[in-house]
Amino acid sequence: MTDLTELGVAQIRDGVKAGDFTAVEVAEAFNANVAAAQEALNAFIVATPEKALEAAQATDAKRAKGEDLGKMGGVPIGMKDLFATFDVQTTAASHILEGFKPQYESTVSQNLWNAGAGMLGKLNLDQFAMGSSNETSYFGNVISPWRKQGSNAQLAPGGSSGGSSAAVAARLAPAATGTDTGGSIRQPAAFTGTTGIKPTYGRCSRWGVVAFASSLDQAGPMAKDTRDCAIMLEAMAGFDPKDATSLDLPVPNWEELLSADLSGKTVGIPREYRMDGMDAEIVALWDQGVAWLKDAGAKVIDISLPHTKYALPTYYIIAPAEASSNLARYDGVRYGLRDLPEGANLQDMYAATRAAGFGEEVKRRILIGTYVLSAGFYDAYYTQAQKVRTLISQDFQKAFEECDVILAPTTPTPAFALGENVDDPLSMYLNDVFSVPASLAGLPAMSVPAGLSKDGLPLGLQIIGKSFDEQGVLNAGLALEARAQFTAKPEKWW
Amino acid sequence: MSTYRIQGATGEWEVVIGLEVHAQVSSQAKLFSGAATEFGAEPNTQVALIDAAMPGMLPVPNKECIRQAVRTGMAINAQINKYSRFDRKNYFYADLPQGYQISQLYHPIVGEGELVIEADEKAGIPEDKVIGIERIHVEQDAGKLMHDQHPTMSYVDLNRVGVALMEIVSRPDMTSPAEAGAYLSKLRTILRYVGSCDGNMDQGSMRADVNVSVRKPGEELGTRTETKNVNSVRFVMQAIEHEAMRQVDVLEAGGKIVQETRLFDPNTGSTRSMRSKEDAHDYRYFPDPDLLPLILEDDFLEDCRNSLPELPDAKKARYETELGLSAYNAQVLTADVDTARWFERLLAETAKASGKAPAEVSKQAANWLISELFGALNKLGTSLEESPVTPEKGGDLLALIAKGTISGSAAKQVLEIMLDTGDEAEAIVEREGLKQESDTGAIEAEIDKVLAANADKVEQYKGGKVALFGFFVGQTMKAMKGKGNPQVVNEILKAKLG
Amino acid sequence: MSVDTATVAKIASLARIKVTEGELEAMVPELNGILNWVEQLGEVDTSNVEPMTAVIPNTLRLREDVVDADPLTGGGKREEVLANAPVAEHGFFGVPKVIE
């Protein structure tokens, strides 16, 4: 019999529907993998095998009665621990939320359960989704299942959705939710040979997702391939009246409309992304991507996104500013950690609780954010950043007058070793150089595994699309995928 | 121009006053959540997940709150901003779960407007005065802390968190406590007319932050202080008086006024510094990224405008010109929307019951309401709202007078009984036999009897002792047990006596 | 612009994060590194540019004024609201006594 944990979303959905295997068998297989890998990979903060089984039993029962199983019927998934899950600890990988059991379910997770998916557990991440390596989690690093050839050094699975990327790469889950604020789906997907898409801002409801930077946060799927992402995104997305920024648009049938034929499409190659000192392997892969898309029938043109170099600094003003305010609610009064030193007054309690409850990177960003919003600095930093953000967005609009999608690398390097960048926040931030611009413009963007580095580590290519055109992104992703034939998997060592 | 001055040791001082009024918007649900806004509920029972700032919770604005703010703006002839935004005001306090208040700093929904306070000689306001209003913005209320329930803890109740407030910011156009009091009263009147705030100051539905500074006449504006959360017209006036005097004392002693937040103590009528809230407030306002720009469409604005009632100034003018009421009566009847509504129903009922035009019975109705019913209700310690005499019943009573069915004095009796029993006027008149006789034949018969019995006095009257007229009236009324219509009695007597 | 220890201490106080002297010392160069880097935005000419307000052109939706229309956004859920409180008594949240 096939190893069920080698299957992806579509295969499981179809197999369960066809009766090739039961949903319970699938859930049990993945539950076993989750348990076996926990010590080595630390991908989950909490495992919920009973939830996975419960959902699987419900799917099997439905099938017995001949009912519709849903878009994700019988598919167990991992849930990034940024999504509030009813009565299941939700921490954002922070100490300050340790033990917090929401009495509500996020819209996106509820949509997935309604579509027949089950929850394997809550996935580890960078604390409050702030990080690119998963090293800021209070619950310890996630270890990438990938290793360099001939090395046992522990690698970063990317971040912030590092638990998600590691879990999918290590076959602990056929798919997982991620969230992307500046690259937190695409960068970990690239680092682990998985596929992830951040949809247009507003496609997936933010209701019940622990907020990092409200104007940037967007949920999306991480899975083995493009088709699986399309299926899962259909289940996650949709208008939510509880989120004032939610897009009031129908969810397209992305899976059904998938097509790797790019005839008549134009792909833009942004010249500003070709940066000095760029990794030769990445440049080569990018060129290879151009060739593949041409092969798929697309016309390829050079485009210019002149404000690209300002995207990261813009991001590192706006995201911390919003975060400094979004994270003010963690004060030890209504939930989570309270640190009340002897004789402390209310304000002392806040300061002590927040000092004990937030990790270093979170504090750093809160302080930056507080500073850039403070009296006398607001216009120079925040207002200027929002103006530059307008320019960045306009760059894309102009480019999309000439092309349908943009092809770029996802990351400037393959996965780095854990500990490599921790002492230098700036060099860590530079990881998101290719992913941040699309986030600032709210555009759909996807990372597709496209090759291996000379050390045998996965490399990803990024497709950026027009607002609302997830289909264009997915189709270009499919075209790359079909040609890249990326089948590499981390050898099981855990 | 107000003549209000403070006499200091170094001469006269002027007072400059601006008010920031927080008015709770009348709505069923909160500004950004579906929790109820009702006053006086059990602690934390009207709290939605977002009001408690649970992680991942998001605000969605309540249309009614926006509508009421717009209508209020229209009622003060203000500029309505079709583009506005919500901003976050960041600070930490236990009554503010999000760690920020959602408010509007940079782009408020309502811009420049104004209202008129009426001349009031006695209060030192010689003529009508226009007070500028700088802006109205919409924001969230905070929760409530109880300090006296536990020896070492304060208790937090979030029921009020997220209730919609309008902050109505005046220009520093007021120069005496009386003007400030009149402004607040007038604002309250307008809000109640519009229906955007119940104006209930006891329950905190309206409260004012009072900005006060003093200066020598003709000099530059002085440094101001802000006295927070003053919750009655009287207290606002007291706070200004006290604060202005204090500032004069400080300045005349060679000191400086510190720009600070102060607290009003209703028990002593004085203000004191609120140092605890002073520490380094830097609110780090920025546009709330959870909320997009608020764009008001023309048809929405049109609906708002069409739904506005007749406002107090217009109503007062109409009462004077169309209904012929005195300026005083028109002012009294329009000062509160409930009174005006009551009066208009009374007027309609009276006109209907008496078959006369409203303008014919308006003075009678106004006088009766102001001098009879208000007095009676006052004695009973009750309000118009709870009056056992409804406008319908009052109209019936007034129609009985208008038609001559009962006399004015009988009407007083009927009112007393109505207040007591709640019975209909007609039933009381019937039961108590208060109907007056207007049948000329019956009256004439009685008069003939009286004149026949007093032939000597008739002679004396005809001889010039006209004062006896009253005697004949009295005798006739006596014979008729007081029920003769005095007007008819007079007319017939005059005719008979030549 | 660069920050010194006093400024960082003030920001930390505004953000209600207690920091030790040692932490302060370490943060100053880190924050300056980041601030100096983001200040390159100053070289962009934005004189005729509006700050971004909505990343995807969209306007604010308003909801109807109905109490508890959706249980997820309504009130009447004191137990759920207090369920995770570090200190809750008699239906209230408890905090160290505040003297106003």
Side-chain angles (χ1 to χ4, degrees), chain A residues 41-45 80 92-93 123-127 129-144 155-166 184 187-188 191 416 418-419 422 428:
Chain A
L41 302 184
N42 196 33
F44 286 83
I45 294 175
K80 188 177 182 181
L123 289 160
N124 207 344
L125 64 149
D126 275 300
Q127 194 170 139
M130 297 176 188
S132 307
S133 66
N134 235 283
E135 288 165 293
T136 71
S137 168
Y138 175 73
F139 300 96
N141 306 332
V142 176
I143 315 296
S144 175
L155 298 181
S160 67
S161 310
S164 308
S165 65
S184 282
Q187 183 256 18
F191 275 17
F416 47 82
L418 287 170
V422 277
M428 187 69 96

Side-chain angles (χ1 to χ4, degrees), chain B residues 430-495:
Chain B
E430 207 58 54
R431 193 170 67 223
E432 303 289 324
L434 293 170
K435 210 170 194 164
Q436 61 186 5
E437 185 58 79
S438 300
D439 175 26
T440 46
I443 293 174
E444 201 172 343
E446 289 299 331
I447 287 177
D448 286 345
K449 278 189 228 163
V450 168
L451 297 185
N454 297 285
D456 53 335
K457 292 210 166 59
V458 173
E459 279 311 306
Q460 288 172 22
Y461 177 86
K462 287 185 170 166
K465 208 168 174 189
V466 290
L468 279 168
F469 190 80
F471 167 79
F472 298 119
V473 173
Q475 287 300 303
T476 309
M477 291 303 268
K478 194 174 163 190
M480 297 190 74
K481 299 196 174 72
K483 286 176 211 160
N485 182 330
Q487 213 181 324
V488 180
V489 170
N490 279 345
E491 278 165 19
I492 297 174
L493 263 175
K494 262 189 194 146

Side-chain angles (χ1 to χ4, degrees), chain A residues 86-87 101-103 334, chain B residues 43-47 49 52 54, chain C residues 75-85 88 91-93:
Chain A
F86 183 84
D87 226 23
K101 291 186 172 175
Q103 299 302 298
R334 296 164 314 285
Chain B
N44 292 312
T45 54
Q46 293 179 174
V47 180
L49 296 166
M54 290 291 164
Chain C
K77 46 175 67 205
R78 176 153 85 178
E79 259 178 60
E80 289 97 319
V81 162
L82 294 173
N84 283 284
F92 294 96
F93 295 98

Side-chain angles (χ1 to χ4, degrees), chain C residues 19-71:
Chain C
V19 282
T20 63
E21 284 296 319
E23 285 170 322
L24 266 185
E25 295 299 328
M27 281 171 179
V28 171
E30 266 177 20
L31 296 189
N32 276 327
I34 296 168
L35 289 170
N36 289 335
W37 172 64
V38 299
E39 273 164 22
Q40 60 177 293
L41 289 191
E43 71 198 43
V44 184
D45 178 5
T46 55
S47 40
N48 293 311
V49 182
E50 286 298 313
M52 164 99 47
T53 50
V55 61
I56 299 299
N58 201 355
T59 56
L60 189 54
R61 252 180 306 109
L62 304 176
R63 55 168 234 281
E64 296 301 319
D65 182 29
V66 181
V67 173
D68 301 344
D70 178 347

